[in-house]
Amino acid sequence: MDFQVIVDSCGMAAAVLSVEKTPDGHCGDIRIVRANEAYKKIMGAGYYDNMIYSELIPKEANFEDFCYRCAVKKQHLHAYVDTKSMGVWTDGTYIPLSSEVDTENLCHFLFFFEFTQAPEADRMSDVSLQTAPLVIQTCIKLRGAENFYESMNTVITDIQQITESFSSCIIMIDKENNKYAPLCAKFRNDEACMSDFLPYLTPDVVFSWEETLKNRDNLIVKDEHDMAELEKINPVWVKSLRGANVQSLIIVPLMQGKKMVGVLFITNFNVDQIVELKEFIELTAFFLTSEIANNDLMEKLEFMSNIDVLTGVRNRNSMNARVDWHVNGRNPVRAPFGIVFADLNGLKQCNDSGGHESGDKLLKDAATLLKKHFYDDEIFRAGGDEFVVIVSGCEKDVFENKVALLRQESGYGASVSFAIGSDWSKDGKDLRLCMHNADEAMYADKNAFYAKHPDKARR
């Protein structure tokens, strides 16, 4: 087969590429075997036949994955992607060539493409029949919801289900102010929550993403081989991923102009559907970014990013912001709701006897216990040893059962002992009044505790 004749017959920039099959079944060298004049003109004077493609453009894992799938697995593929390393969008088509031209370790395919300076609607909408309805549903949910945050939670839940992932979340990043925080998240296991994974999202990990993703429209880790390749680039991040038991990953930067304002983060997904999922995720991320850009997120980011570093729950500033949002109607707590005030018993005694390290452990254990019983609710560390929980959209019997179970597990003699006060509102009465009532009940419970157990030193 004359490869030069094939590429010269194409009406746009085209090349025949070869893909090396490694003994362990992965992608080896990818070479540009032959190219037509349009291709050579775009690539410049550095081109020569049979050159490794990365001599012309930076290595790109997603491109290499498509090359391997097309050449070796004989899949006909198409992609319209933001090629950040070249500052253009690339509309590329991958066509497998007959296996008769292949050797035992070398397979071939035809690649032709066009560049656009900006994303074009007609090209972006040229998606598979499987992807189109999913993306349309996403757009409808984003634009049809009255509450921005509810729509984000709805869409992230859809993404988790479609990708069959363990977790899907959006993490907002404000690098200039050294802040970052989750906007929304959904986990396959309802007992897992975002705060469980905050210890792995350290500043050195989160702020390393921009450099790792700077020339990528996304990053996909399918298996241990891909994880090892990522480790060569970003070992700190991979250590964090391994610690969180992440085996597969999709991360897509959310861009406003040239500024990365966040990421769409998906872990342990269905890797068998990677081609279809890549198309769906890229388009969905594009619309998510547009929707985020239309909303003033600075106040929301301020609220979310105020995490108590020691316990992983939100801090007092976040609680104050949350109350203000309810009062001014911007993001009200959904009625019926309940408030829990939980104050640690014996923290001072713990600090005095075991030092602040012992006290810090007690505070962490207290937060863990609250997450166990209120894993789907908003938990705040309101003060040194005081925690507040806002339980939204919860009927009275369910709320009271949660409080009762917490009391059972945090009584006198337990490793974590709480003084607890609570109040519940059916019709969304004044949130501040509800908090005041719960606070008063907590202090009454604490006074009763110390009266009954004088061996526990007061704060």
Side-chain angles (χ1 to χ4, degrees), residues 128-256:
S128 68
L129 292 176
Q130 293 86 356
T131 299
L134 299 176
V135 176
I136 291 171
Q137 290 172 20
T138 298
C139 294
I140 292 172
K141 289 176 180 179
L142 285 174
R143 301 307 302 160
E146 294 182 2
N147 186 296
F148 168 75
Y149 309 108
E150 288 183 5
S151 70
M152 284 292 161
N153 280 308
T154 298
V155 169
I156 208 68
T157 297
D158 288 347
I159 291 173
Q160 184 273 320
Q161 293 173 350
I162 291 167
T163 58
E164 300 177 28
S165 57
F166 172 74
S167 68
S168 299
C169 65
I170 294 174
I171 300 174
M172 301 305 299
I173 301 172
D174 182 4
K175 188 175 181 180
E176 293 178 359
N177 294 301
N178 201 38
K179 292 181 178 180
Y180 61 93
L183 173 64
C184 52
K186 176 61 178 177
F187 291 80
R188 179 192 302 146
N189 180 353
D190 286 337
E191 293 185 1
C193 61
M194 197 67 216
S195 59
D196 296 333
F197 296 91
L198 287 176
Y200 301 104
L201 295 175
T202 57
D204 56 337
V205 169
V206 174
F207 293 125
S208 73
W209 292 342
E210 186 170 15
E211 178 65 23
T212 302
L213 297 170
K214 68 178 182 180
N215 291 323
R216 305 170 183 260
D217 59 331
N218 61 65
L219 186 148
I220 299 175
V221 173
K222 305 182 297 299
D223 49 30
E224 178 55 33
H225 176 269
D226 290 351
M227 190 71 77
E229 291 298 309
L230 177 59
E231 191 169 22
K232 297 174 184 178
I233 303 170
N234 194 332
V236 173
W237 184 17
V238 170
K239 181 180 179 181
S240 169
L241 291 172
R242 295 190 193 281
N245 196 32
V246 173
Q247 287 94 40
S248 61
L249 165 74
I250 303 174
I251 184 169
V252 185
L254 304 179
M255 308 296 294
Q256 290 183 4

Side-chain angles (χ1 to χ4, degrees), residues 16-33 48 50-55 59-60 63-69 71-72 103 105-109 225 229 232:
V16 169
L17 285 79
S18 66
V19 177
E20 179 188 21
K21 295 187 294 183
T22 63
D24 60 353
H26 290 101
C27 183
D29 287 342
I30 299 176
R31 294 180 179 273
I32 309 170
V33 181
Y48 61 92
N50 213 39
M51 69 185 300
I52 294 178
Y53 90 95
S54 56
E55 295 179 52
K59 285 177 67 66
E60 215 291 306
F63 173 71
E64 293 188 359
D65 180 61
F66 266 44
C67 292
Y68 185 86
R69 289 176 181 277
V72 178
T103 65
N105 299 315
L106 211 61
C107 298
H108 299 79
F109 72 99
H225 176 269
E229 291 298 309
K232 297 174 184 178

Side-chain angles (χ1 to χ4, degrees), residues 376-426:
D376 231 7
D377 305 307
E378 299 174 82
I379 305 171
F380 305 87
R381 184 182 175 195
D385 52 6
E386 186 174 81
F387 296 83
V388 174
V389 185
I390 299 178
V391 184
S392 61
C394 189
E395 295 299 330
K396 187 175 184 180
D397 59 338
V398 176
F399 173 70
E400 290 182 343
N401 184 58
K402 284 188 173 187
V403 175
L405 291 174
L406 177 64
R407 286 187 186 278
Q408 291 176 15
E409 200 169 344
S410 62
Y412 179 72
S415 58
V416 174
S417 176
F418 278 128
I420 299 171
S422 64
D423 193 30
W424 180 83
S425 170
K426 179 179 181 179

Side-chain angles (χ1 to χ4, degrees), residues 271-374:
V271 296
D272 293 335
Q273 301 294 323
I274 183 61
V275 174
E276 296 83 356
L277 292 181
K278 181 177 182 294
E279 184 178 59
F280 164 69
I281 291 299
E282 287 173 347
L283 273 174
T284 300
F286 179 83
F287 292 114
L288 283 171
T289 303
S290 299
E291 189 66 16
I292 290 171
N294 290 332
N295 287 269
D296 180 11
L297 285 179
M298 294 311 296
E299 186 177 356
K300 180 66 174 177
L301 182 58
E302 182 70 21
F303 158 60
M304 292 186 303
S305 62
N306 288 333
I307 299 295
D308 179 61
V309 177
L310 177 64
T311 62
V313 300
R314 297 168 182 173
N315 65 16
R316 188 176 186 85
N317 287 338
S318 295
M319 184 181 73
N320 292 338
R322 185 69 183 94
V323 173
D324 289 343
W325 277 46
H326 174 84
V327 172
N328 64 30
R330 182 163 184 176
N331 188 20
V333 177
R334 183 161 49 92
F337 60 74
I339 302 295
V340 180
F341 272 62
D343 194 286
L344 268 173
N345 293 318
L347 179 61
K348 183 179 185 301
Q349 185 188 52
C350 182
N351 281 326
D352 291 345
S353 61
H356 284 286
E357 183 177 335
S358 178
D360 288 349
K361 183 180 183 305
L362 179 58
L363 285 165
K364 291 178 183 178
D365 291 344
T368 299
L369 182 60
L370 289 170
K371 293 173 192 175
K372 174 183 176 181
H373 292 284
F374 300 95

